[in-house]
Amino acid sequence: MFRRQKAQDEGEKEPLLDEGEAESLADFRPLVVLEFSSKTTPVTREWMKSKIEASKRQGGADLNAKLVVARDGEERVLLVSAPQERLLQGAEQMGLKKKYKDGSVRAFTFAERQNVEDYTESLEGMLTMSQSQYIIKVELDNIRALEAENHIPGCSHPKARLYKGKSILSRMVSCHLLEKMYPVHNPEQLKRLQHDWYHLNKPKQLIGGQPIETIRGYFGESVAMYFSFLGHYTKALLVPTVIGVLYYLFNESGRNDFVIFAVFNMIWATVFLETWKRTSSAHAYNWGTLGRKVFEEPRAGFHGKLGVNPITGRSEPVYPSWKRLLRIYCVSFPIVILCMLVAVVVMMIYFWAENIAKAKHKEENTMLTQGLVLVPSIIYSVVIILMNQAYRTLAQYLTKNENHREQSAYENYLIVKLVLFDFVNCFLCLFYIAFVMQDMNYLRQSLAILLIVQQLVGQLQETLLPYLLMRKRIKKGEKSGLDHVSKPLHEIPRSKQAEVESLMDRYEGTFDDYLELFWQFGYVFLFSAVYPMAAFWALANNIMEIRTDAFKMCRIFQRPFMEPAANIGAWQTVFEVMGFIAVMTNMALIGMSPEIQPLLEGYTTIQKVLIFVAAEHLIIFIKVVLAFAIPDMPEWVETQMGRIEYQSTQALKKQDHHCSSPLPFPSLSLPLSSSLLLGPAPPHQVDDHKRPLS
């Protein structure tokens, strides 16, 4: 049925699914697709299918599975589904929250299913399709090896050994026996999402407006949280853009008004980040992820000696923390420092090349040499992007080598590595121009070129390249007889849908997107005192970014599994730290400006420094006061959380005294896990009032 990636690249042909097999899929609605590699044997595939279908007592997942047989007899694709009742039971085990008829949002229990707002006798529609797929993914990840299973059947791979309690799916991935696992799209709902998302149907969509609730219903909380942050950031850029453009057009010769603009930007960055906290907490409350704590299973790449987890009591790999710290400080840290030094060397080469170009222009003074002066900056901007990408590969390898157990720890350590290097690689040359060369005109020119060129290259790289690669795969598919591969998903027969989705690129998550916003945020706010137009170019880029990212999510990439998220995680801290660094850089630039220096005549150098240090601390104090003055949660969220806390306490007290008595708040039908309850949100707090897509 499927063409493997290797076959795609080499242009090989594989037989398609035969007619009888296609007809047999008519009554089987797959939710998740697993693609085995060519290394697997029929014995391994049948064994994996049996594990998925086996009951949990037998170490299985109790799901439905179907191996697809191609005309050549090879079975490389496993389609996984589950009846609605089984999915709802999985939702209860995971602590998934649903909205009940009394207006509360709380942990779902199968026994209380009739009290859920969207309850139907057939049980259909009680879970979105993305939730169903996430439940299946969790169940597949939790398939564990039994004590009698010590090796993957039919596999001769030296690492194919199994250990009791170890995730079988993780072992299949590490042995390269499983190539892909992805959830399938819902073509009709995807078509509606495309229309509402990246087509400009409403004026508010031009500046950051998006159907966030619909995105969340289709792609999950993590993706929706990123796009909500992108939209919030884009709207926040509107104010400094207007002020900056007005200054640029009407007051370019003065600097005092520009000082006020720089101070405004420093404070505005705090307002933006604090109001985002309120927005994200409202999202998390409505989505049932606020305060939700989930025990993290070991990552797929985590390894160590077999031991017992003291929390779960299950057998799993154990790795000493001292070994991890040794790898961090003796391997990763020195290599990161070395890479940062390489970035410094590349920066010096850039200055050397630009000095040569300037000398050439000074000597000849022609239009050609004038354009030649800009060439080193343009090339350096592209080199920065290439170095960032190369370093990311290295950073991922180093972080993987540190062998973190939890995915969250892996991501946090990776963020630290990437932020450190990107900060040096992207901004060090600007710091050098500002505080060593002290050439403000040169700083303004360099900042403009770096920002505009990197955003332009980024747009081409993120949009045009994936689209061209997709067109190339479509042409290969058509040459191999897949005449339906170029059609939209809603025009493709259901039996052929997964075949087409297999050709799509895998979505790698929001990591790169946040990283791009990080250095853009730095370009806009770190040097507000010299280039007021930075916010304008960032705003223009982000308006386009929302549309292009939406297009990629709907047309280019495979559907990602939903991931619960209550906020943007460590990226919130990264942006806040950048905001404080912006205060120091802008105050230093203001202190160096020729318009300010005459105001300080008669003061010694030490006194001048003390004055600007005091001014810097005053701005920081104002930012801190604003951070405390703007609550992280809207008042209605705090009220609902307080009410739920009180009701939970009362319910548990009543439970202690009357174990067999009904709870004191029957309208809420509080379960024992009522401390996890989430109440309803006022209608005006929801981004749109459409029912989330399944």
Side-chain angles (χ1 to χ4, degrees):
M1 177 178 178
F2 288 79
R3 182 171 292 93
R4 298 185 302 278
Q5 189 65 40
K6 181 178 179 182
Q8 296 170 21
D9 296 338
E10 297 176 357
E12 298 176 2
K13 295 183 179 180
E14 282 189 335
L16 304 178
L17 185 70
D18 58 36
E19 295 298 328
E21 194 69 31
E23 292 177 3
S24 68
L25 288 177
D27 299 326
F28 185 87
R29 183 62 183 266
L31 293 172
V32 176
V33 178
L34 280 71
E35 290 188 40
F36 295 103
S37 71
S38 58
K39 299 178 182 179
T40 56
T41 64
V43 174
T44 303
R45 299 165 197 157
E46 286 290 348
W47 173 76
M48 190 64 200
K49 177 178 178 294
S50 65
K51 291 293 294 185
I52 293 174
E53 294 178 328
S55 66
K56 288 198 168 185
R57 291 184 179 180
Q58 297 174 325
D62 196 18
L63 302 172
N64 298 337
K66 187 176 186 64
L67 273 169
V68 177
V69 181
R71 291 178 188 147
D72 62 352
E74 290 289 333
E75 296 177 331
R76 301 186 185 91
V77 178
L78 189 61
L79 308 178
V80 184
S81 184
Q84 195 69 11
E85 183 175 344
R86 171 68 183 88
L87 293 172
L88 290 173
Q89 291 171 351
E92 178 179 357
Q93 294 169 359
M94 291 168 47
L96 201 68
K97 296 179 176 63
K98 296 291 294 181
K99 188 172 184 179
Y100 281 69
K101 294 177 180 178
D102 58 16
S104 63
V105 179
R106 62 178 186 267
F108 172 79
T109 59
F110 190 75
E112 290 186 302
R113 62 189 180 278
Q114 294 183 348
N115 297 324
V116 175
E117 187 177 64
D118 50 8
Y119 169 77
T120 59
E121 291 186 5
S122 64
L123 304 181
E124 295 294 332
M126 295 184 65
L127 294 173
T128 65
M129 189 174 179
S130 61
Q131 289 174 332
S132 300
Q133 292 165 333
Y134 177 68
I135 292 169
I136 288 180
K137 179 181 180 295
V138 172
E139 295 291 357
L140 292 175
D141 288 337
N142 286 333
I143 298 178
R144 307 284 170 173
L146 302 176
E147 187 172 0
E149 296 174 320
N150 55 20
H151 196 276
I152 296 177
C155 181
S156 59
H157 195 286
K159 295 184 179 180
R161 289 187 58 83
L162 296 175
Y163 301 94
K164 180 183 177 182
K166 177 70 177 179
S167 172
I168 291 178
L169 202 66
S170 298
R171 179 61 70 183
M172 295 279 288
V173 172
S174 62
C175 293
H176 305 289
L177 301 176
L178 187 64
E179 287 187 343
K180 298 179 182 179
M181 183 174 75
Y182 56 89
V184 297
H185 276 290
N186 186 315
E188 293 300 325
Q189 293 172 348
L190 182 62
K191 179 183 177 182
R192 295 200 301 271
L193 178 58
Q194 291 173 195
H195 180 269
D196 295 338
W197 196 0
Y198 62 79
H199 295 297
L200 295 175
N201 302 312
K202 300 177 182 178
K204 71 175 184 178
Q205 288 184 289
L206 182 61
I207 310 294
Q210 302 169 86
I212 296 299
E213 292 298 319
T214 310
I215 296 170
R216 179 254 173 176
Y218 193 85
F219 290 110
E221 289 82 13
S222 179
V223 172
M225 194 68 76
Y226 160 72
F227 280 102
S228 180
F229 177 76
L230 176 58
H232 186 83
Y233 173 46
T234 302
K235 294 174 184 176
L237 285 172
L238 190 60
V239 176
T241 293
V242 172
I243 298 175
V245 169
L246 291 176
Y247 167 82
Y248 185 80
L249 294 176
F250 302 110
N251 196 25
E252 190 173 359
S253 59
R255 187 63 65 89
N256 290 333
D257 290 341
F258 192 51
V259 171
I260 297 174
F261 171 72
V263 173
F264 167 79
N265 262 13
M266 290 183 271
I267 297 175
W268 186 250
T270 299
V271 174
F272 148 63
L273 291 171
E274 292 302 317
T275 53
W276 163 248
K277 287 182 182 178
R278 294 171 59 84
T279 300
S280 64
S281 63
H283 284 326
Y285 185 88
N286 289 321
W287 299 343
T289 57
L290 185 63
R292 180 185 179 188
K293 295 182 179 179
V294 180
F295 177 77
E296 289 191 65
E297 296 290 342
R299 292 174 51 249
F302 179 66
H303 59 84
K305 293 184 178 180
L306 190 64
V308 177
N309 187 302
I311 297 177
T312 64
R314 292 201 305 252
S315 298
E316 69 173 45
V318 176
Y319 192 77
S321 59
W322 67 267
K323 286 187 178 181
R324 183 178 301 110
L325 293 175
L326 193 65
R327 293 188 179 189
I328 291 174
Y329 293 109
C330 296
V331 179
S332 298
F333 186 70
I335 293 178
V336 171
I337 296 296
L338 180 62
C339 291
M340 293 165 68
L341 292 176
V342 171
V344 174
V345 172
V346 173
M347 179 194 72
M348 300 309 297
I349 294 174
Y350 152 65
F351 285 128
W352 170 77
E354 188 153 85
N355 287 335
I356 293 177
K358 287 181 178 179
K360 186 72 172 176
H361 176 60
K362 186 176 182 181
E363 179 182 340
E364 300 182 6
N365 194 20
T366 63
M367 291 292 293
L368 179 62
T369 57
Q370 186 176 1
L372 185 64
V373 172
L374 300 177
V375 171
S377 295
I378 295 174
I379 294 177
Y380 182 55
S381 301
V382 177
V383 169
I384 285 176
I385 295 177
L386 297 177
M387 290 178 63
N388 285 344
Q389 293 176 344
Y391 175 78
R392 176 176 181 178
T393 303
L394 176 62
Q396 289 174 328
Y397 171 78
L398 293 174
T399 311
K400 182 179 179 180
N401 184 60
E402 292 165 5
N403 197 26
H404 297 280
R405 180 188 179 276
E406 296 88 5
Q407 181 66 23
S408 60
Y410 171 86
E411 291 178 356
N412 289 338
Y413 276 90
L414 181 59
I415 288 174
V416 171
K417 293 182 182 68
L418 292 175
V419 166
L420 285 175
F421 178 80
D422 278 24
F423 186 87
V424 172
N425 196 34
C426 294
F427 306 122
L428 184 61
C429 67
L430 299 177
F431 279 94
Y432 185 86
I433 296 171
F435 303 116
V436 178
M437 301 175 65
Q438 297 188 9
D439 188 337
M440 297 302 109
N441 291 328
Y442 185 24
L443 176 62
R444 185 179 299 110
Q445 173 188 305
S446 298
L447 176 57
I449 292 176
L450 287 174
L451 176 61
I452 295 172
V453 171
Q454 288 188 26
Q455 290 188 156
L456 181 61
V457 173
Q459 285 292 338
L460 292 175
Q461 188 180 35
E462 292 183 6
T463 307
L464 185 60
L465 184 59
Y467 180 75
L468 292 177
L469 291 176
M470 187 64 181
R471 295 301 307 174
K472 182 180 178 181
R473 285 192 295 272
I474 288 175
K475 289 182 179 179
K476 286 185 177 181
E478 291 174 342
K479 290 180 180 179
S480 302
L482 300 179
D483 54 351
H484 54 272
V485 73
S486 60
K487 298 179 181 179
L489 287 178
H490 63 274
E491 297 180 6
I492 297 173
R494 182 192 298 179
S495 61
K496 301 291 185 180
Q497 178 186 337
E499 184 174 5
V500 173
E501 291 187 36
S502 178
L503 300 176
M504 295 179 173
D505 289 330
R506 179 187 175 188
Y507 179 64
E508 298 295 341
T510 58
F511 209 93
D512 280 339
D513 299 311
Y514 281 120
L515 201 60
E516 181 181 343
L517 292 181
F518 157 73
W519 58 253
Q520 184 198 86
F521 182 85
Y523 284 136
V524 172
F525 290 98
L526 282 178
F527 304 97
S528 299
V530 295
Y531 189 53
M533 289 294 291
F536 168 79
W537 294 115
L539 176 65
N541 175 81
N542 289 357
I543 291 174
M544 181 65 68
E545 183 83 11
I546 292 174
R547 308 277 88 76
T548 55
D549 282 354
F551 178 82
K552 289 189 299 181
M553 294 295 299
C554 296
R555 297 293 300 273
I556 304 297
F557 292 128
Q558 293 172 347
R559 185 178 188 174
F561 284 103
M562 66 165 281
E563 295 180 9
N567 46 54
I568 61 174
W571 292 108
Q572 179 78 32
T573 303
V574 169
F575 283 99
E576 290 176 351
V577 171
M578 184 68 83
F580 281 100
I581 297 175
V583 174
M584 294 182 279
T585 57
N586 281 285
M587 292 307 299
L589 291 171
I590 291 171
M592 293 163 52
S593 64
E595 286 76 11
I596 295 296
Q597 289 298 326
L599 301 177
L600 301 175
E601 288 183 0
Y603 291 92
T604 65
T605 302
I606 295 178
Q607 289 174 328
K608 293 178 181 179
V609 171
L610 291 176
I611 289 173
F612 280 97
V613 168
E616 172 193 285
H617 281 64
L618 177 62
I619 299 297
I620 292 177
F621 175 75
I622 294 174
K623 288 170 68 69
V624 172
V625 169
L626 283 173
F628 279 99
I630 302 176
D632 292 349
M633 292 184 185
E635 185 177 354
W636 63 268
V637 173
E638 292 182 346
T639 300
Q640 292 294 331
M641 294 297 289
R643 180 177 66 86
I644 292 167
E645 181 89 21
Y646 173 77
Q647 292 176 341
S648 300
T649 303
Q650 296 301 311
L652 291 174
K653 285 182 179 179
K654 189 72 174 179
Q655 190 79 359
D656 290 338
H657 289 86
H658 306 283
C659 295
S660 60
S661 301
L663 296 179
F665 293 91
S667 63
L668 292 175
S669 304
L670 294 173
L672 289 177
S673 58
S674 55
S675 60
L676 298 176
L677 301 188
L678 293 177
H684 67 275
Q685 294 292 341
V686 181
D687 293 80
D688 56 41
H689 303 287
K690 297 179 182 179
R691 184 178 179 177
L693 294 180
S694 297

